[in-house]
Amino acid sequence: MATTGMRPKKRDNDVAFFTKVLPDTVKAQLNVARLAKVTRLYDDKTKAEVQPLDKKSDGSSRAPLIGVHVGKTKRDVIEIGDVVVVLFMDRSIANFDGSNNEFELSAKRMHDLNDSFIVEVY
């Protein structure tokens, strides 16, 4: 009888792991979008350096993002100090040359901080 009483509790813990702990862990590692401030623009405005505005859970600042691609429609309006929306691509864009040509993936990384694009200026 004692083992029967423990089974639901263990099962509940197992279920909680798959419904709460695992998804939260995955979400914490997944980069989708972030608000940031433009701190530097490359001369041709095709790339920028940005400082994420959201702080870490310990209250410290996040590391700046360097070499962030700037979408074509934003290059005429983006300025240093602007708040921007940065998206993180599904796959590595290290071999993307800005053209409409297909490119080889250089890494298996997904939603990585290195594969970022500015898509909006706030």
Side-chain angles (χ1 to χ4, degrees), residues 70-114:
V70 179
K72 190 174 189 176
T73 61
K74 302 306 169 205
R75 292 179 195 156
D76 290 336
V77 297
I78 194 169
E79 298 295 337
I80 293 173
D82 283 346
V83 173
V84 293
V85 176
V86 180
L87 294 184
F88 304 98
M89 305 305 288
D90 289 341
R91 301 286 181 182
S92 169
I93 58 172
N95 288 334
F96 175 64
D97 64 6
S99 73
N100 63 358
N101 295 323
E102 293 181 345
F103 59 92
E104 298 292 325
L105 294 178
S106 64
K108 292 182 179 182
R109 65 182 184 236
M110 299 173 68
H111 297 276
D112 193 88
L113 298 176
N114 293 305

Side-chain angles (χ1 to χ4, degrees), residues 30-84:
L30 184 66
N31 296 296
V32 177
R34 179 162 279 146
L35 291 171
K37 176 177 68 173
V38 177
T39 57
R40 178 177 173 252
L41 287 166
Y42 291 37
D43 289 339
D44 60 1
K45 291 191 174 182
T46 59
K47 291 187 180 180
E49 291 180 12
V50 301
Q51 176 61 52
L53 295 177
D54 57 316
K55 293 186 176 185
K56 295 180 188 178
S57 59
D58 67 2
S60 63
S61 295
R62 295 182 184 276
L65 302 175
I66 299 168
V68 179
H69 293 265
V70 179
K72 190 174 189 176
T73 61
K74 302 306 169 205
R75 292 179 195 156
D76 290 336
V77 297
I78 194 169
E79 298 295 337
I80 293 173
D82 283 346
V83 173
V84 293

